[in-house]
Amino acid sequence: MIKFTPCFALKLCFVLIFSFHSPVLKAQEMGFEEYNPTSTLVVPENPVMRAKFPFVDIHSHQWNVTQELIHRLVAEMDELNMATMVNLSGKGFARSRAEIDAQEYLNSMIRRFNGVAPGRFIVFTNLGFEGFGSEEWVEKAVAELETDVENGANGLKIYKSLGLSVNDINGNRVPIDHPDLDPIWAKCGELGIPVLIHAADPAPFWEPMDANNERWLELKINPNRKRGADNPAPFEQIIAEQHHVFRKHPGTTFINAHMGWMANDLAKAGKHLEEYPNVNFGIGAVIAEFGRQPRMAREFFIKYQDRVLFGKDAYNKEEFYTYFRVLETADEYFPYYKKYHAFWRMYGLDLPDEVLKKVYYKNALRIIPNMDASLFPE
């Protein structure tokens, strides 16, 4: 039997106080955001800061292009071995202004790129949806697209706003497969330019924000990215609209941005490519998905080597290193650069050289017109 003397009670008090303030207990109060242990694993490391072959970044965004910016970009591109950058933001934020302003913005950008660094930059144009639903919108949009291509645009980029936030003149959501857009897709096929289209957001943005959601941390950091079933439509509906466009326009070449959010299900991605022979995948912002399934991803890249194009999305020179390392090396268990995108580690795919060449530049040369082939080895 324990005898509760004053001395014992005092000792018990000290034990309890010490326990509550124990570093061990405090460590257990650490949140998921702070937990980022240094790995004790010792494996060969082969970081890559320059791509093995010259490459095309088919998914970049540059705004307010100046001569100074171009010189800085070219210097960094040379360090990375990036031969050509495709700027998808040809009309930048001007696409929401008057047509003449947006077109002059595009024309000025093309002239500056070609004047300062000929051959190093390709520019895609964008659609403006002001007045969508009116009788004259289709005719004006098709005419503007034709003019943009005549002035040097080599593709059309569709932002995810189509299907999410673009409304018609009556305030209704414009679905990606709206019939008024059919002449646009058809015209791109006629002009021989590809359409790089981003639809929706990752599916977990529509799912409950709980311990089962892989994007929980991203949604906590960026709560505006969380969506409900009707905000503005279910994920599955928006994606189905995009696929309907692919099916209706087999004569138009599409680049499905971000792997169409199927990089986490490569069997599904493979079926997608087989069902739509006019569709290719861009790998921008989904390299972390390949890095956690290296064996299956390697098989996918080899099997569909003619249908995958290198792209990065948000431009940051240092972040390219992770892309190179995943694609080129057989390294194990190395970190990604954004925990809220991938709290797991990466593994290299060690792709064969011929596959790398196709992903890095050969597929882009085949799909995008007017590229300078002399910048590439073969």
Side-chain angles (χ1 to χ4, degrees), residues 176-233:
I176 298 173
D177 59 351
H178 194 289
D180 284 1
L181 291 168
D182 284 337
I184 298 293
W185 315 131
K187 179 58 67 173
C188 288
E190 178 186 322
L191 294 171
I193 62 169
V195 178
L196 192 149
I197 180 168
H198 174 174
D201 278 320
F205 288 7
W206 275 261
E207 297 169 0
M209 185 182 166
D210 57 23
N212 297 312
N213 193 320
E214 278 192 328
R215 297 274 183 160
W216 175 86
L217 181 57
E218 181 173 0
L219 294 173
K220 181 178 181 182
I221 295 172
N222 302 283
N224 60 309
R225 298 182 183 179
K226 180 71 179 75
R227 295 187 177 276
D230 298 320
N231 180 17

Side-chain angles (χ1 to χ4, degrees), residues 58-59 86 88 124 154-158 193-199 242 246 252-260 272-273 278-284 307-311 363-364 366-369:
I58 60 102
H59 196 138
V86 178
L88 301 179
F124 278 28
N154 290 291
L156 173 66
K157 155 67 172 172
I158 300 297
I193 62 169
V195 178
L196 192 149
I197 180 168
H198 174 174
Q242 184 203 50
F246 299 158
T252 300
T253 298
F254 292 92
I255 302 171
N256 198 345
H258 313 301
M259 287 278 291
H272 180 77
L273 291 180
N278 57 326
V279 173
N280 306 272
F281 279 140
I283 65 171
R307 309 284 295 281
V308 183
L309 294 88
F310 184 94
N363 293 339
R366 186 185 73 251
I367 291 170
I368 302 172

Side-chain angles (χ1 to χ4, degrees), residues 47-340:
V48 184
M49 292 176 285
R50 179 179 173 83
K52 188 173 186 179
F53 303 105
F55 70 94
V56 180
D57 179 0
I58 60 102
H59 196 138
S60 191
H61 296 284
Q62 302 294 333
W63 299 275
N64 301 318
V65 174
T66 64
Q67 183 172 326
E68 291 74 22
L69 174 63
I70 296 173
H71 285 308
R72 179 176 67 80
L73 287 174
V74 169
E76 294 182 351
M77 290 163 64
D78 289 344
E79 291 179 32
L80 295 168
N81 205 13
M82 184 195 303
T84 307
M85 175 186 288
V86 178
N87 185 20
L88 301 179
S89 301
K91 290 187 174 175
F93 298 109
R95 66 185 186 276
S96 61
R97 303 185 208 138
E99 176 185 336
I100 186 65
D101 292 337
Q103 287 193 297
E104 179 51 37
Y105 182 95
L106 172 73
N107 297 342
S108 175
M109 177 186 295
I110 293 173
R111 288 194 301 268
R112 188 161 289 133
F113 275 141
N114 291 342
V116 178
R120 301 298 300 274
F121 296 89
I122 290 288
V123 179
F124 278 28
T125 187
N126 313 115
L127 284 182
F129 290 96
E130 300 78 12
F132 188 92
S134 64
E135 293 183 5
E136 64 273 11
W137 186 88
V138 174
E139 183 178 351
K140 289 178 62 177
V142 170
E144 184 176 344
L145 176 62
E146 289 180 311
T147 300
D148 292 345
V149 173
E150 289 174 4
N151 290 336
N154 290 291
L156 173 66
K157 155 67 172 172
I158 300 297
Y159 294 93
K160 68 178 181 180
S161 53
L162 178 62
L164 289 177
S165 61
V166 171
N167 294 325
D168 64 16
I169 55 177
N170 297 313
N172 299 313
R173 183 184 77 92
V174 176
I176 298 173
D177 59 351
H178 194 289
D180 284 1
L181 291 168
D182 284 337
I184 298 293
W185 315 131
K187 179 58 67 173
C188 288
E190 178 186 322
L191 294 171
I193 62 169
V195 178
L196 192 149
I197 180 168
H198 174 174
D201 278 320
F205 288 7
W206 275 261
E207 297 169 0
M209 185 182 166
D210 57 23
N212 297 312
N213 193 320
E214 278 192 328
R215 297 274 183 160
W216 175 86
L217 181 57
E218 181 173 0
L219 294 173
K220 181 178 181 182
I221 295 172
N222 302 283
N224 60 309
R225 298 182 183 179
K226 180 71 179 75
R227 295 187 177 276
D230 298 320
N231 180 17
F235 170 82
E236 294 78 9
Q237 178 180 335
I238 297 172
I239 294 299
E241 292 168 1
Q242 184 203 50
H243 295 182
H244 188 207
V245 170
F246 299 158
R247 188 178 305 113
K248 285 198 297 182
H249 297 276
T252 300
T253 298
F254 292 92
I255 302 171
N256 198 345
H258 313 301
M259 287 278 291
W261 305 121
M262 289 179 273
N264 63 319
D265 187 346
L266 293 179
K268 182 178 181 180
K271 291 178 181 177
H272 180 77
L273 291 180
E274 290 165 9
E275 183 174 359
Y276 304 109
N278 57 326
V279 173
N280 306 272
F281 279 140
I283 65 171
V286 293
I287 195 71
E289 297 290 0
F290 305 130
R292 65 171 169 171
Q293 50 175 334
R295 289 187 291 275
M296 190 165 183
R298 188 176 195 274
E299 292 176 5
F300 180 89
F301 273 81
I302 292 173
K303 183 175 182 179
Y304 299 105
Q305 59 188 271
D306 296 314
R307 309 284 295 281
V308 183
L309 294 88
F310 184 94
K312 170 66 180 64
D313 200 354
Y315 181 80
N316 182 303
K317 187 184 75 170
E318 287 73 23
E319 291 176 357
F320 282 89
Y321 306 159
T322 300
Y323 280 70
F324 303 154
R325 195 173 182 185
V326 169
L327 297 175
E328 297 183 19
T329 78
D331 282 6
E332 297 182 293
Y333 205 72
F334 53 91
Y336 187 61
Y337 50 82
K338 284 182 181 177
K339 184 179 179 182
Y340 70 81

